[in-house]
Amino acid sequence: MSESTLEALRGDAKPAAQFGHDALVVCDNLVRIFQSGSVEVQALQGLDLLVDEGEMVAVVGASGSGKSTLLSVLSGMDAPTAGRVRVGRWDLMAMQARDRLAYRRQMVGFVWQQTSRNLLPYLTARQNVALPMTASRRHRAARVDELLDLVSVGHVADRRPREMSGGEQQRVAIATALANDPQLLLADEPTGELDTTTAREVFDALQTANRESGTTVVVVTHDPAVSGLVERTVAIRDGRTSSEVLRRDAGGDVTHEEYAVMDRAGRVQVPREYREALAMTRRVRLALEADHLAVWPDGSAR
Ligand code: ADP
Ligand code: MG
């Protein structure tokens, strides 16, 4: 590539603002190491993730890739070992115990995979949804019913969890998580225990929460079909974000495009299929063109 191309490209370069300054959720080089005895597990290994206010993002990845660890950190239940993590005005690294409680009450809602973990068994749906409001002294009966209706479970308002189906329980759990109008709703495989049809209803409920109340949603899922339902699917591999699938709807014409994620040091993971197809191993040759980069396997002809 010529010097003049490089000059032309430099001319357009904007000064770098702080990473994710306008995002609601910022994970910057997040590390979480678990120590059990002499064994060290690196659950998150420099994970970067930005989520904008109002977005609904799905997180996918193999079992053990760090998805739950990420959600525990974002929920304020776990603290990272290193890196930077901010949600809204809350810096989750620096947060003291008292702020942590306030953060969890005001800022985030959480839905677990295990239906039994989300609701208190001896309370009705209505009482479950009211509970977080009472804890923060914001109980309003009308709001409770509004939330149950929002996720289409008004008909189970007076039932206890064991009198509801799994899908109904999870939708009541979403209503409960929304009780204090959190800006961020986190759900860790909320459909993992459900059949496909019921899973879809629960997923719809999350989408409704996102669209109707503008709640930002991060949902971990095993379901490969979700990338068809959300705008952005982030894949985690070995504790790092590795790729993103963006769904674009151009006049009813839906396309899915896969992107590799680049970190701030410029590192990009080349998918294994691509590396294998071109026998790329330790080194590659790069060339800057006017509007793209070219990558060649080591030893290829110039
Ligand atoms: P996922 O949700 O993607 O299946 P997790 O975040 O649960 O992955 O786990 C990531 C890695 O961290 C796994 O190797 C897991 O065994 C380990 N891990 C998670 N939590 C703990 C913990 N509390 N103590 C020790 N290791 C843990
Ligand atoms: Mg998990």
Side-chain angles (χ1 to χ4, degrees):
M1 186 217 30
S2 70
E3 266 308 303
S4 59
T5 318
L6 201 53
E7 277 311 310
L9 289 168
R10 277 199 197 111
D12 290 339
K14 296 176 188 73
Q18 185 171 36
F19 181 68
H21 67 286
D22 54 0
L24 179 70
V25 177
V26 182
C27 297
D28 181 358
N29 211 356
L30 212 55
V31 175
R32 178 66 171 104
I33 298 170
F34 291 107
Q35 191 90 42
S36 50
S38 58
V39 185
E40 207 175 66
V41 180
Q42 292 210 11
L44 301 177
Q45 311 190 30
L47 179 135
D48 292 333
L49 176 70
L50 298 180
V51 181
D52 285 335
E53 169 125 52
E55 257 196 303
M56 173 155 176
V57 175
V59 176
V60 299
S63 176
S65 57
K67 305 181 298 295
S68 295
T69 305
L70 170 66
L71 253 56
S72 301
V73 168
L74 291 178
S75 70
M77 283 181 273
D78 186 29
T81 312
R84 199 166 67 91
V85 51
R86 176 178 69 72
V87 178
R89 65 180 178 84
W90 306 80
D91 175 350
L92 303 196
M93 281 300 276
M95 208 156 58
Q96 302 301 314
R98 200 164 53 102
D99 290 338
R100 206 164 278 280
L101 187 66
Y103 171 78
R104 289 174 55 180
R105 276 198 183 149
Q106 297 164 22
M107 190 69 187
V108 285
F110 205 93
V111 181
W112 301 91
Q113 172 177 358
Q114 299 87 346
T115 46
S116 57
R117 201 167 162 184
N118 289 313
L119 302 172
L120 287 175
Y122 48 87
L123 296 183
T124 65
R126 199 178 261 129
Q127 290 166 335
N128 266 288
V129 178
L131 195 62
M133 297 181 181
T134 312
S136 57
R137 299 190 192 85
R138 291 169 63 189
H139 180 227
R140 275 169 45 227
R143 180 65 181 148
V144 173
D145 287 340
E146 213 175 275
L147 283 170
L148 288 170
D149 285 338
L150 180 76
V151 292
S152 314
V153 281
H155 59 287
V156 301
D158 296 312
R159 291 193 217 161
R160 290 184 173 71
R162 68 180 139 75
E163 300 155 337
M164 305 174 203
S165 70
E168 285 164 347
Q169 288 181 47
Q170 286 305 67
R171 282 182 283 159
V172 174
I174 293 170
T176 306
L178 292 172
N180 284 330
D181 297 316
Q183 255 180 290
L184 178 63
L185 179 62
L186 304 167
D188 193 356
E189 306 202 33
T191 63
E193 289 182 349
L194 307 174
D195 62 73
T196 318
T197 319
T198 317
R200 188 60 192 265
E201 285 166 10
V202 172
F203 210 81
D204 283 348
L206 289 173
Q207 271 182 320
T208 306
N210 173 247
R211 289 193 189 133
E212 311 273 311
S213 25
T215 316
T216 306
V217 178
V218 177
V219 53
V220 167
T221 176
H222 250 114
D223 184 354
V226 291
S227 4
L229 304 172
V230 296
E231 305 268 302
R232 182 152 80 104
T233 304
V234 174
I236 296 192
R237 181 182 292 159
D238 300 330
R240 274 168 180 267
T241 36
S242 62
S243 66
E244 293 196 3
V245 175
L246 300 188
R247 176 180 185 275
R248 297 198 197 280
D249 195 342
D253 211 2
V254 178
T255 57
H256 296 93
E257 260 188 302
E258 182 161 350
Y259 288 76
V261 173
M262 183 165 73
D263 73 10
R264 279 185 303 147
R267 281 181 285 253
V268 172
Q269 186 171 39
V270 178
R272 182 152 47 118
E273 314 86 82
Y274 293 11
R275 296 193 314 252
E276 287 174 356
L278 294 175
M280 289 174 166
T281 50
R282 212 168 64 76
R283 270 197 305 240
V284 293
R285 191 156 62 79
L286 294 179
L288 178 61
E289 306 292 345
D291 63 349
H292 68 280
L293 275 181
V295 184
W296 286 273
D298 190 15
S300 62
R302 277 169 198 257

